[in-house]
């Protein structure tokens, strides 16, 4: 398949998702030769690498076909959650089924953190070849090795501590991920220890202007113009101050060269949403009245709110619109 054909298919899938429809469904089977009658699957697997071991849940859509490698989305749960809870609350598997995407949910256990939080504030988890970011990248590569995945459409997202860890992982592995989605998170490098992390969660980063240069250096070293990013944050978030979401979006937009943004405001799902678009590759959605919860989520999961825009749908729409060149 040539580059033009593949690009047209990417855009068609993104448009279909944005319009609320379904992508064409075909056969399914998480194996090299899928059968036409097989169903989607959602199974556990275990990764072991130099930095450690983690289980993960893997969703394979019914339309999986090796002849057209699908996108891969890595989704990181928040504190006290697990992959099953996060999948239920975001409804991400149903959207992935429509888009023909594979989804992997790495697990952080209570044995590794009492509240099952990804320890995003640890400096070891903010660089390549080290800690949790290396484990998540290792899981990503393992899935890519086991299944036919389009390397231009590998994405990562998450919520709260998982959202910040998604930023850490993408920033430390810019060759691997095409775009990032963050809900209720914070900027890369906001903290390197727990006290600083707690302070930032309450009030925002201590020195936000200093966060831009590290992001710019990552882009420069990786030869990228942008790290495409969509950020959701509740305007009434009492756990992670909304200033963190604003600073996260501006960090990567300014690092990529954005000079200004376009703002719009509308009512979606009963709440007022303020949307800022920076340049070609950064979106910030502030959902007024939303707390520390996944916007438009299902009550079957924790830390969700059925009101507001469907963050899962918008995140996947953004991903499919931003493959690697």
């Amino acid at each position: 398949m040539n580059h033009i054909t593949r690009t047209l298919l990417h855009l068609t899938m993104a448009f279909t998702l944005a319009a609320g429809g379904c992508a064409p469904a075909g056969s399914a089977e998480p194996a090299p030769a899928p059968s036409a009658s097989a169903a989607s699957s959602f199974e556990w697997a275990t990764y072991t690498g130099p930095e450690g071991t983690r289980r993960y849940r893997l969703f394979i859509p019914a339309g999986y076909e090796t002849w057209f490698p699908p996108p891969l989305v890595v989704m990181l749960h928040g504190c006290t959650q697990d992959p099953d809870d996060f999948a239920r609350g975001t409804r991400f598997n149903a959207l992935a089924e429509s888009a023909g995407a594979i989804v992997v949910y790495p697990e952080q256990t209570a044995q590794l953190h009492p509240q099952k939080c990804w320890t995003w504030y640890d400096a070891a988890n903010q660089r390549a070849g080290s800690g949790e970011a290396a484990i998540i990248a290792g899981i990503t590569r393992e899935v890519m090795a086991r299944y036919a995945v389009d390397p231009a459409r590998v994405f990562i997202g998450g919520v709260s501590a998982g959202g910040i860890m998604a930023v850490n992982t993408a920033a430390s592995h810019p060759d691997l991920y095409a775009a990032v989605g963050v809900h209720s998170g914070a900027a890369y490098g906001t903290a390197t220890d727990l006290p600083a992390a707690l302070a930032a969660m309450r009030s925002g980063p201590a020195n936000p202007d200093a966060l831009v240069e590290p992001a710019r250096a990552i882009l420069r070293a990786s030869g990228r113009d942008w790290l495409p990013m969509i950020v959701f944050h509740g305007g009434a978030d009492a756990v992670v101050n909304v200033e963190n979401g604003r600073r996260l979006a501006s960090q990567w937009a300014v690092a990529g060269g954005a000079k200004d943004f376009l703002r719009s405001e509308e009512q979606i799902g009963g709440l007022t949403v303020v949307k800022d678009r920076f340049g070609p590759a950064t979106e910030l959605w502030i959902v007024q009245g939303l707390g520390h919860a996944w916007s438009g989520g299902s009550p079957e999961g924790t830390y969700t709110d059925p009101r507001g825009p469907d963050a899962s749908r918008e995140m996947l729409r953004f991903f499919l619109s931003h493959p690697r060149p």
Side-chain angles (χ1 to χ4, degrees):
M1 180 178 297
N2 63 39
H3 174 74
I4 294 175
T5 302
R6 186 175 69 177
T7 299
L8 288 173
L9 284 168
H10 295 172
L11 294 175
T12 299
M13 290 168 66
F15 176 80
T16 301
L17 189 67
C22 294
S27 58
E29 175 82 355
S35 66
S37 61
S40 62
S41 64
F42 192 40
E43 305 293 341
W44 283 102
T46 300
Y47 165 81
T48 299
E51 297 301 322
T53 297
R54 291 292 191 285
R55 294 200 310 165
Y56 58 89
R57 271 283 214 176
L58 184 63
F59 174 79
I60 304 296
Y64 171 71
E65 293 279 8
T66 58
W67 65 266
F68 179 50
L72 169 64
V73 181
V74 181
M75 292 290 284
L76 303 178
H77 65 78
C79 297
T80 76
Q81 296 180 318
D82 59 33
D84 288 312
D85 180 14
F86 192 38
R88 287 193 303 269
T90 60
R91 301 188 186 94
F92 215 87
N93 287 355
L95 289 168
E97 178 68 45
S98 296
I102 294 175
V103 190
V104 58
Y105 301 83
E107 179 187 41
Q108 180 76 317
T109 68
Q111 289 71 37
L112 297 164
H113 187 280
Q115 300 300 316
K116 298 191 285 188
C117 301
W118 298 98
T119 53
W120 59 270
Y121 48 81
D122 188 332
N125 296 330
Q126 300 178 27
R127 55 178 182 262
S130 173
E132 292 171 358
I135 293 172
I136 294 164
I139 290 172
T140 304
R141 292 191 177 101
E142 179 170 278
V143 174
M144 293 174 72
R146 289 178 57 196
Y147 297 90
V149 169
D150 183 354
R153 296 186 297 160
V154 178
F155 311 102
I156 188 166
V159 64
S160 193
I164 312 174
M165 183 54 67
V167 178
N168 287 0
T169 307
S172 57
H173 301 81
D175 59 319
L176 188 56
Y177 301 100
V180 189
V182 184
H183 203 310
S184 312
Y188 176 67
T190 290
T192 55
D193 57 43
L194 183 56
L198 294 173
M201 289 168 63
R202 286 192 301 268
S203 307
N207 188 5
D209 292 338
L211 299 173
V212 174
E213 187 52 40
R216 183 179 289 127
I218 288 169
L219 295 178
R220 189 183 304 121
S222 61
R224 300 187 67 166
D225 294 326
W226 304 89
L227 178 60
M229 186 173 296
I230 182 169
V231 177
F232 275 80
H233 216 110
D237 193 331
V239 177
V240 180
N241 190 296
V242 66
E243 186 65 13
N244 287 287
R246 295 192 181 101
R247 293 299 182 177
L248 168 61
S250 64
Q251 175 187 36
W252 292 96
V254 173
K259 305 298 184 185
D260 205 349
F261 59 87
L262 296 176
R263 173 165 291 176
S264 63
E265 184 175 313
E266 60 182 305
Q267 293 286 319
I268 305 176
L271 298 177
T272 299
V273 181
V274 179
K275 293 189 285 186
D276 293 342
R277 297 179 186 273
F278 303 76
T282 307
E283 296 183 12
L284 171 63
W285 295 54
I286 301 298
V287 185
Q288 304 293 356
L290 179 71
H292 194 67
W294 190 271
S295 178
S298 167
E300 294 183 2
T302 60
Y303 295 102
T304 64
D305 191 325
R307 302 175 301 163
D310 186 338
S312 298
R313 181 176 295 277
E314 296 299 338
M315 196 173 286
L316 189 53
R317 182 267 310 165
F318 182 88
F319 288 162
L320 297 177
S321 299
H322 291 85
R324 288 286 296 269

